[in-house]
Amino acid sequence: MTKKQFWNQLLLFITALLLILSTREYLSYLFIQKKIESYAIHTLLNICANLILIVVSYFFIQKNKLGELAGLQKRKVNKWYLLLFPLIYLVLLNILIIDVVDIQTLLPNVLLFLTYCISIGFAEELSIRGFLQSHLINYLGNTRKSSIISVFTAALFFGVIHLLNFDTGIYGELAQLIYATFIGVMFGFLLVITKRLYPLIIVHTIIDFVADLDVVGMPIKEKISELMSLETAALITVLALPCFIYGIFLMTKYKLVKTTASNA
């Protein structure tokens, strides 16, 4: 791949991604302005945005023949047990810090909520790990050094795009940026080592499902009304730190094996 082709595809993808996310946020803002605060409507908006991002991401993966690097080829999951830490730790962490779950609002919305979580898992993993990280590795050269640079770059971008929400105040946004970056480093190395994206999508979906159980059915304005304090933001950062440490452990402990990029 030439330098021009690399940058053309990268800029086109980032432009498309930011356009999708910005449009979602703008429509959500318009709905709130018009007093449309229904949980179902805003969740459906998010699902639609995620579905578009899934299609766009898969298109770019296929177009650039990144199927193997993106972990979309049919093959055995390499070192599957490495996925247990993020699944167990983050699920237990979210259970411990979650607020009281209102069963009366959860049950009528549980299928919609599950669909939303699945769409997040596919959208975020296909876009960030599936395309962006794999595109960087493919261009820089499938080596240990390029894998490390690509994982950290994609993880940082993953953290930065979470700022688009900007609904928890400056401390909340910084905490979200750091949290997402730490998760991105861990998930990035897990993809490089396990060679399969779908297990990460499943883990991502389960984590998001548990994390947001306490806001299911809640009107959007009520959901975004509370700003995060500095103390809470600092606590979230500390609690997310083991994910970053685990990512560094994966980077140093395991050989980042070369694969030949090919279409899935």
Side-chain angles (χ1 to χ4, degrees), residues 48-231:
C48 289
N50 289 337
L51 290 176
I52 295 170
L53 183 54
I54 289 168
V55 172
V56 169
S57 301
Y58 189 76
F59 169 79
F60 274 90
I61 290 171
Q62 294 294 90
K63 180 177 176 60
N64 290 277
K65 300 181 179 179
L66 300 172
E68 188 170 343
L69 284 174
L72 297 181
Q73 276 197 336
K74 293 181 179 180
R75 58 178 295 171
K76 184 179 179 181
V77 180
N78 191 35
K79 296 180 174 60
W80 61 268
Y81 50 85
L82 295 176
L83 295 162
L84 293 177
F85 172 77
L87 178 61
I88 295 172
Y89 177 72
L90 290 174
V91 166
L92 289 178
L93 176 62
N94 282 302
I95 289 174
L96 289 174
I97 65 176
I98 198 171
D99 290 332
V100 176
V101 177
D102 188 341
I103 301 299
Q104 290 185 336
T105 59
L106 172 63
L107 292 181
N109 295 289
V110 68
L111 290 179
L112 180 63
F113 175 55
L114 177 59
T115 303
Y116 169 57
C117 291
I118 293 172
S119 73
I120 292 176
F122 272 93
E124 295 191 351
E125 293 308 318
L126 279 170
S127 60
I128 305 301
R129 259 68 67 181
F131 175 74
L132 183 58
Q133 177 176 300
S134 302
H135 187 56
L136 290 168
I137 293 175
N138 190 48
Y139 176 69
L140 295 175
N142 196 10
T143 64
R144 177 180 178 81
K145 181 179 179 180
S146 71
S147 294
I148 292 171
I149 292 172
S150 301
V151 167
F152 276 93
T153 302
L156 182 58
F157 181 79
F158 183 55
V160 169
I161 61 174
H162 279 74
L163 295 177
L164 284 173
N165 295 329
F166 213 90
D167 54 9
T168 56
I170 185 64
Y171 298 132
E173 297 307 318
L174 288 175
Q176 199 170 32
L177 185 155
I178 295 171
Y179 179 87
T181 300
F182 285 178
I183 297 294
V185 170
M186 177 175 65
F187 275 21
F189 284 117
L190 281 171
L191 174 58
V192 172
I193 295 167
T194 65
K195 311 298 181 189
R196 291 289 277 151
L197 189 65
Y198 292 120
L200 281 176
I201 292 173
I202 294 171
V203 171
H204 195 143
T205 297
I206 294 172
I207 292 170
D208 282 348
F209 184 85
V210 176
D212 288 338
L213 277 173
D214 56 343
V215 296
V216 176
M218 185 182 295
I220 187 66
K221 205 164 184 179
E222 184 178 342
K223 180 180 175 183
I224 65 175
S225 61
E226 293 186 8
L227 300 182
M228 188 178 294
S229 67
L230 176 59
E231 292 77 11

